[in-house]
Amino acid sequence: MRGIPEITGEGNMEYSEKVIEYFRNPRNMGKMEDPDGVGKVGNPVCGDVMWIYIKVEDGKIVDCKFVTFGCVAAIATSSVVTEMVKGKTVEEALQISNKAVAETLGGLPPIKMHCSLLAEQGVKATIEDYLKKKSEKKG
Ligand code: FES
């Protein structure tokens, strides 16, 4: 498949079929009501913003959703990372690297690797929020 023009105006970009598939049909998209943790991250250079929400039961992430205002790669990486964290413990989810996210999508153009970093940082920010809320509850 030929690359599709970037919505951010960077011209034609060669994306893997999986990236385009996740961009066109994003899994787990939308705000979560009453999450156990929520994280917001952004890239000041391109202006893209991402929210990741999690539900945790017995230390395991049982649900994960996202909202992203950003480029094709930011939407695809945030969507796939919601699938990657489900079923993992919070400790395991903290180990997910942006490289693993990109590999799951069949790779990203080198200049788009920073978009996958947003997904990694989004998960970390969400888990930090969860752990903070959890320790506050305990008092
Ligand atoms: Fe900003 Fe992709 S261009 S996250």
Side-chain angles (χ1 to χ4, degrees), residues 10 46 48 71 74 112 114-115 118:
E10 289 129 313
C46 62
D48 291 355
C71 70
K112 286 279 149 183
H114 76 275
C115 315
L118 217 51

PDB file of all heavy atoms in Angstrom, residues 10 46 48 71 74 112 114-115 118, ligand 1:
ATOM      1  N   GLU A  10       3.108  16.884   6.510  1.00  0.00           N
ATOM      2  CA  GLU A  10       4.517  16.598   6.234  1.00  0.00           C
ATOM      3  C   GLU A  10       4.727  15.928   4.881  1.00  0.00           C
ATOM      4  O   GLU A  10       5.814  15.492   4.578  1.00  0.00           O
ATOM      5  CB  GLU A  10       5.094  15.702   7.330  1.00  0.00           C
ATOM      6  CG  GLU A  10       5.271  16.400   8.626  1.00  0.00           C
ATOM      7  CD  GLU A  10       4.646  15.616   9.759  1.00  0.00           C
ATOM      8  OE1 GLU A  10       3.504  15.169   9.603  1.00  0.00           O
ATOM      9  OE2 GLU A  10       5.302  15.446  10.786  1.00  0.00           O
ATOM     10  N   CYS A  46       5.161  19.463  18.044  1.00  0.00           N
ATOM     11  CA  CYS A  46       4.105  19.302  17.042  1.00  0.00           C
ATOM     12  C   CYS A  46       2.733  19.686  17.592  1.00  0.00           C
ATOM     13  O   CYS A  46       1.790  19.850  16.835  1.00  0.00           O
ATOM     14  CB  CYS A  46       4.069  17.862  16.538  1.00  0.00           C
ATOM     15  SG  CYS A  46       3.703  16.674  17.848  1.00  0.00           S
ATOM     16  N   ASP A  48       0.822  17.787  19.453  1.00  0.00           N
ATOM     17  CA  ASP A  48      -0.080  16.645  19.636  1.00  0.00           C
ATOM     18  C   ASP A  48      -0.287  16.345  21.123  1.00  0.00           C
ATOM     19  O   ASP A  48       0.633  16.495  21.921  1.00  0.00           O
ATOM     20  CB  ASP A  48       0.474  15.406  18.924  1.00  0.00           C
ATOM     21  CG  ASP A  48       0.431  15.571  17.406  1.00  0.00           C
ATOM     22  OD1 ASP A  48      -0.100  16.587  16.954  1.00  0.00           O
ATOM     23  OD2 ASP A  48       0.916  14.686  16.704  1.00  0.00           O
ATOM     24  N   CYS A  71      -1.183  13.172  15.050  1.00  0.00           N
ATOM     25  CA  CYS A  71      -0.874  12.657  13.722  1.00  0.00           C
ATOM     26  C   CYS A  71      -1.291  11.186  13.593  1.00  0.00           C
ATOM     27  O   CYS A  71      -1.693  10.549  14.569  1.00  0.00           O
ATOM     28  CB  CYS A  71       0.610  12.820  13.448  1.00  0.00           C
ATOM     29  SG  CYS A  71       1.611  11.701  14.443  1.00  0.00           S
ATOM     30  N   ALA A  74       0.613   8.993  15.989  1.00  0.00           N
ATOM     31  CA  ALA A  74       0.223   9.188  17.388  1.00  0.00           C
ATOM     32  C   ALA A  74      -1.076   8.441  17.673  1.00  0.00           C
ATOM     33  O   ALA A  74      -1.230   7.807  18.724  1.00  0.00           O
ATOM     34  CB  ALA A  74       0.064  10.675  17.701  1.00  0.00           C
ATOM     35  N   LYS A 112       9.055   9.410  12.589  1.00  0.00           N
ATOM     36  CA  LYS A 112       7.809   9.270  13.353  1.00  0.00           C
ATOM     37  C   LYS A 112       8.011   8.484  14.651  1.00  0.00           C
ATOM     38  O   LYS A 112       7.049   8.226  15.368  1.00  0.00           O
ATOM     39  CB  LYS A 112       6.759   8.563  12.472  1.00  0.00           C
ATOM     40  CG  LYS A 112       6.217   9.472  11.394  1.00  0.00           C
ATOM     41  CD  LYS A 112       5.157  10.342  11.994  1.00  0.00           C
ATOM     42  CE  LYS A 112       5.060  11.677  11.350  1.00  0.00           C
ATOM     43  NZ  LYS A 112       4.081  12.523  12.007  1.00  0.00           N
ATOM     44  N   HIS A 114       9.267   9.469  17.345  1.00  0.00           N
ATOM     45  CA  HIS A 114       8.943  10.283  18.530  1.00  0.00           C
ATOM     46  C   HIS A 114       7.455  10.190  18.885  1.00  0.00           C
ATOM     47  O   HIS A 114       7.078  10.393  20.032  1.00  0.00           O
ATOM     48  CB  HIS A 114       9.359  11.746  18.329  1.00  0.00           C
ATOM     49  CG  HIS A 114       8.440  12.512  17.435  1.00  0.00           C
ATOM     50  ND1 HIS A 114       8.558  12.512  16.066  1.00  0.00           N
ATOM     51  CD2 HIS A 114       7.364  13.294  17.715  1.00  0.00           C
ATOM     52  CE1 HIS A 114       7.602  13.270  15.544  1.00  0.00           C
ATOM     53  NE2 HIS A 114       6.855  13.752  16.517  1.00  0.00           N
ATOM     54  N   CYS A 115       6.622   9.867  17.902  1.00  0.00           N
ATOM     55  CA  CYS A 115       5.182   9.755  18.167  1.00  0.00           C
ATOM     56  C   CYS A 115       4.924   8.540  19.078  1.00  0.00           C
ATOM     57  O   CYS A 115       4.052   8.579  19.946  1.00  0.00           O
ATOM     58  CB  CYS A 115       4.405   9.620  16.873  1.00  0.00           C
ATOM     59  SG  CYS A 115       4.946  10.766  15.594  1.00  0.00           S
ATOM     60  N   LEU A 118       5.390   9.200  22.729  1.00  0.00           N
ATOM     61  CA  LEU A 118       4.225   9.782  23.395  1.00  0.00           C
ATOM     62  C   LEU A 118       3.354   8.668  23.999  1.00  0.00           C
ATOM     63  O   LEU A 118       2.842   8.813  25.115  1.00  0.00           O
ATOM     64  CB  LEU A 118       3.421  10.579  22.358  1.00  0.00           C
ATOM     65  CG  LEU A 118       2.755  11.886  22.789  1.00  0.00           C
ATOM     66  CD1 LEU A 118       3.725  12.810  23.477  1.00  0.00           C
ATOM     67  CD2 LEU A 118       2.146  12.585  21.576  1.00  0.00           C
TER      68      LEU A 118
HETATM   69 FE1  FES B   1       3.358  14.812  16.927  1.00  0.00          FE
HETATM   70 FE2  FES B   1       3.349  12.524  15.727  1.00  0.00          FE
HETATM   71  S1  FES B   1       3.815  14.438  14.851  1.00  0.00           S
HETATM   72  S2  FES B   1       3.100  12.909  17.814  1.00  0.00           S
END
